[in-house]
Amino acid sequence: MDSTETLPQVGFTWDDLRVVLAIETSGTALGAARRLGVSHSTVLRRLATLELALDTKLFQRSEGRMVVSPPAAALLAKARSIAEALDALPQLIDGPNSDLDGVVRLAAPHALICHALTDALANFRETHPAIRIALCADMQFDEFRRGHADVALRISLAVPNELGIRRLCDYRYALYARNDLAQRMQGGATLAEMPFILLSDASRDMPERKWMVSLTRGRAPAIEASSTVSLRAAVASGLGVGVLPCYVGDAVPGVTRIEMGPAAPREGIYLITHPTQSKLARSRAVADFLIKFATRNRHMFSGLTQDY
């Protein structure tokens, strides 16, 4: 190569860095694509662009996951700092004296939004018509921490000290089956004889999945479900016995709760807020609504009654 010839300059954008942060959080390129709402190929392309620009591999594989390589650790730390600064910009524009109008981003589990929260929000809208709620289903915790939502309901999750947290009520799970399957068990059939539904491996750390695995002693499920919403549909269709939150399972027509040991997981519903958002009138209004919502429905969430 001629000594005067120069190599082409390869640049990268902030979007490339966002992809890298999403891969770090999810552990896979496919998971990053789902988080960002882009295609799998887009994630791989942007990762390749950044690695070419930096002339280094940013991730290495370990037990099926993509783990940040040692040379990339400093880059990822700086990218996180930039992301947090960018996410905080809207809060700098909005002051503590904001009126009861504007958008409040509310993060909550998908099942909680679909099966309880949306109905209650109709009453909130009557009281506060100028506050626009943006529902964020199943938001990852690191996204909330970086300011992608203002208020959140979470199920038993430890949070950093910089966030406000308040335990609202108990949250219990139980076994459920369509009536015909439940009658078989009531007639003497054991769980070992029944088909069952299990949350997919992506939810392996969820307490309800761990409980079901222990009850079935590692037996292969008849059906795997990627979410509580799809698991509920499978139970209602009679595809097998499944673990559901009591407030979900108790409301499904034609489905029976099956009480059996060992004891089902008992978690908690928590309200989480950012200190900056808690100073805004509209965010306080939403937080107060969520506190009343959970208190009013505490028996439903704790599984103490099926009459709600």
Side-chain angles (χ1 to χ4, degrees), residues 272-283:
I272 307 176
T273 56
H274 287 276
T276 52
Q277 288 297 320
S278 64
K279 299 175 182 178
L280 301 178
R282 61 174 178 268
S283 293

Side-chain angles (χ1 to χ4, degrees), residues 7 44 64 153 214 263 284 298:
L7 293 173
L44 294 178
L153 287 178
S214 70
R284 289 199 308 270
R298 62 187 181 279

Side-chain angles (χ1 to χ4, degrees), residues 28 38 70 128 167 177 189 239 253:
T28 65
V38 299
H128 300 291
R167 194 178 194 280
L239 294 175

Side-chain angles (χ1 to χ4, degrees), residues 142-286:
D142 69 298
E143 292 179 291
F144 178 82
R145 183 177 60 82
R146 294 205 303 266
H148 292 189
D150 307 312
V151 183
L153 287 178
R154 304 289 292 189
I155 309 300
S156 293
L157 181 69
V159 298
N161 292 333
E162 70 266 19
L163 300 177
I165 179 171
R166 174 171 174 173
R167 194 178 194 280
L168 302 181
C169 64
D170 287 342
Y171 186 93
R172 188 189 169 208
Y173 300 90
L175 277 179
Y176 290 88
R178 199 172 67 179
N179 290 345
D180 56 329
L181 297 183
Q183 288 170 4
R184 285 177 55 189
M185 295 189 69
Q186 292 164 354
T190 65
L191 183 58
E193 301 173 70
M194 307 297 293
F196 73 96
I197 306 156
L198 187 68
L199 284 173
S200 58
D201 191 59
S203 302
R204 60 185 174 273
D205 294 328
M206 302 297 286
E208 63 268 40
R209 187 184 191 277
K210 291 181 178 179
W211 186 55
M212 192 56 157
V213 168
S214 70
L215 289 177
T216 56
R217 303 181 184 278
R219 185 162 56 96
I223 297 288
E224 288 192 2
S226 62
S227 68
T228 299
V229 174
S230 56
L231 197 152
R232 171 198 178 278
V235 169
S237 297
L239 294 175
V241 180
V243 180
L244 290 169
C246 289
Y247 83 92
V248 173
D250 289 345
V252 183
V255 165
T256 298
R257 187 196 298 189
I258 303 169
E259 298 288 1
M260 63 180 298
R266 185 178 292 274
E267 303 293 324
I269 295 182
Y270 291 85
L271 173 72
I272 307 176
T273 56
H274 287 276
T276 52
Q277 288 297 320
S278 64
K279 299 175 182 178
L280 301 178
R282 61 174 178 268
S283 293
R284 289 199 308 270
V286 173

